[in-house]
Amino acid sequence: MKEQTLIVGLDERSYPIHIGSGVLNQIGPTLAADPVGKRYGIISDDNVAELYGQQIIASLTDAGLACELIVFPAGEEQKHTLTVTDLASELAGRGFDRGDALVALGGGVVGDITGFLASIYMRGIPFVQVPTSLLAQVDSSVGGKTGVDIPEGKNLIGTFYQPKAVYIDIDVLKTLPPEEFRGGLAEVIKYGVIIDKDFFAFLEENQKAIRAMEPETLVSMIYTCCQIKANVVEQDEREGGLRRILNFGHTIGHAVEAASGFKIIHGLAVSIGMHAVTQLAIQGGYTTDPVLQTLDNLLGAYNLPLEIPAELDRKKIRAYLQTDKKTVGGHIFFVLPEEIGKVIITDQVRPEDIDLVLGNS
């Protein structure tokens, strides 16, 4: 199967996204042909490093590139400033300087931490993304958002810092826990709802092939997601307007994720959030019941959750909503669907509608 490549067009900061089977083994030769650093610090968590660390090291060293693997414990709970400073100290202790580069090998947590670290270490060194979860492949590895969490909310400390390249190998998805693959599909469905009804139909029609991880279908699906995101980022890199549509389902989703103590993984929380904000859209007169039913049918077909668990503290969810990055001047901005393939961004959502959707338990 031929590798697919697309470009995120940001003038002098443009970069390629390589998508296909066996891409991991091509990272070394590709970087040797077009190096971004003289030495590479491969940053990974202990789960991913055990699976793919040696494969990446072999790819780079066989291509004549110097590299070192630096590992930290896996988990969303590691996504904080202390992890970043520990990794920075490790880099400094190993003599990494401004001429070197980082490789983010892992899911969204690894990518966000490594990108943030690259943006501030020595006031900025290059990095490349090697996303190993579906969610990271279709979303967080593309577009340059980096960041870490603080107790008040997700990703409240971060930067916009673009990678030099993204390498997406569909083969790594075979080792993902089923829940993580399902969570990634929530982000995939998001793209269909916000901007591309034909892609939404593709997801409806190809459920069996997607669940079976049929290679050509996966490459086509991931390519479309990355192309949509690249187009949005090219028009609005720093989320001043259009890019906000990518937050569909995330405002409530992030609050649910945080209120659960991150026991609900990001993708599943986004699924819950998409259902909830579509209910909000109905309450506000922005959309109709059939749109919610169409969305719910597809989420259900991929075994994704719809309802906020009854045991979650609604007061905590409301508190996290108020500290969301998309809240400005006390006004919470929501991305609401009008129809499949079209959304609006508004802060004109009535508090009583939010209460109704969240429930009072």
Side-chain angles (χ1 to χ4, degrees):
M1 181 177 58
K2 187 177 179 182
E3 177 185 297
Q4 300 291 312
T5 301
L6 62 96
I7 302 296
V8 181
L10 293 168
D11 299 323
E12 73 279 359
R13 290 173 294 105
S14 298
Y15 56 93
I17 304 174
H18 306 279
I19 308 167
S21 174
V23 169
L24 287 189
N25 295 328
Q26 297 306 312
I27 295 173
T30 304
L31 286 176
D34 187 16
V36 299
K38 68 179 188 300
R39 181 169 56 144
Y40 296 86
I42 303 165
I43 310 295
S44 191
D45 67 38
D46 49 11
N47 287 340
V48 176
E50 184 175 348
L51 292 169
Y52 301 112
Q54 292 307 311
Q55 186 175 351
I56 293 291
I57 289 172
S59 180
L60 269 62
T61 55
D62 288 352
L65 301 174
C67 63
E68 296 187 35
L69 179 64
I70 301 172
V71 180
F72 65 91
E76 180 78 30
E77 64 273 13
Q78 302 299 323
K79 195 178 168 185
H80 51 66
T81 54
L82 183 59
T83 300
V84 175
T85 55
D86 285 347
L87 289 170
S89 293
E90 187 71 23
L91 289 174
R94 299 190 189 201
F96 278 80
D97 60 34
R98 288 180 179 176
D100 298 322
L102 301 182
V103 177
L105 174 64
V109 171
V110 172
D112 282 359
I113 287 174
T114 306
F116 184 49
L117 174 62
S119 75
I120 60 176
Y121 185 74
M122 298 281 178
R123 295 188 173 89
I125 63 173
F127 83 111
V128 300
Q129 289 271 19
V130 186
T132 59
S133 70
L134 179 60
L135 189 149
Q137 290 181 350
V138 302
D139 187 62
S140 61
S141 67
V142 178
K145 276 189 178 182
T146 81
V148 294
D149 306 335
I150 58 176
E152 289 74 17
K154 278 179 62 70
N155 299 320
L156 293 184
I157 299 176
T159 57
F160 288 96
Y161 194 69
Q162 300 294 342
K164 294 297 185 182
V166 181
Y167 300 92
I168 297 174
D169 192 332
I170 63 167
D171 296 344
V172 304
L173 299 177
K174 297 170 185 174
T175 58
L176 268 188
E179 183 182 64
E180 290 286 349
F181 185 74
R182 287 193 295 118
L185 289 172
E187 292 281 4
V188 171
I189 291 169
K190 172 192 77 176
Y191 288 109
V193 179
I194 64 173
I195 208 167
D196 193 336
K197 65 181 180 181
D198 291 336
F199 182 55
F200 191 93
F202 170 87
L203 299 174
E204 290 178 315
E205 296 162 5
N206 289 276
Q207 295 171 31
K208 185 176 180 180
I210 290 169
R211 286 197 298 265
M213 299 189 187
E214 195 280 317
E216 290 189 3
T217 305
L218 281 186
V219 169
S220 176
M221 180 184 80
I222 294 168
Y223 184 96
T224 300
C225 292
C226 290
Q227 183 68 75
I228 292 171
K229 186 159 189 182
N231 289 341
V232 170
V233 169
E234 288 165 2
Q235 296 175 68
D236 178 24
E237 183 180 0
R238 291 180 173 262
E239 206 170 282
L242 176 64
R243 187 168 177 171
R244 285 180 168 188
I245 68 173
L246 298 172
N247 293 317
F248 175 61
H250 285 60
T251 301
I252 290 178
H254 278 162
V256 167
E257 185 182 1
S260 75
F262 301 104
K263 292 177 183 175
I264 299 176
I265 65 170
H266 178 73
L268 302 189
V270 167
S271 177
I272 292 169
M274 290 192 292
H275 171 80
V277 293
T278 306
Q279 289 180 308
L280 276 181
I282 292 171
Q283 296 293 334
Y286 296 100
T287 196
T288 59
D289 287 335
V291 172
L292 177 63
Q293 191 59 57
T294 300
L295 172 62
D296 285 356
N297 286 345
L298 189 57
L299 292 173
Y302 287 104
N303 196 25
L304 289 162
L306 304 178
E307 304 293 341
I308 301 171
E311 66 272 15
L312 284 192
D313 187 334
R314 267 49 180 181
K315 289 183 180 178
K316 282 187 177 181
I317 295 175
R318 291 181 180 89
Y320 282 119
L321 284 176
Q322 290 298 329
T323 59
D324 189 274
K325 299 189 303 302
K326 297 169 285 299
T327 298
V328 179
H331 294 273
I332 306 171
F333 282 82
F334 289 97
V335 182
L336 303 179
E338 294 183 302
E339 57 190 62
I340 300 299
K342 184 181 179 183
V343 293
I344 62 164
I345 303 166
T346 181
D347 64 346
Q348 299 300 304
V349 175
R350 296 172 301 198
E352 56 267 31
D353 288 341
I354 297 174
D355 289 341
L356 186 64
V357 167
L358 294 183
N360 297 310
S361 59

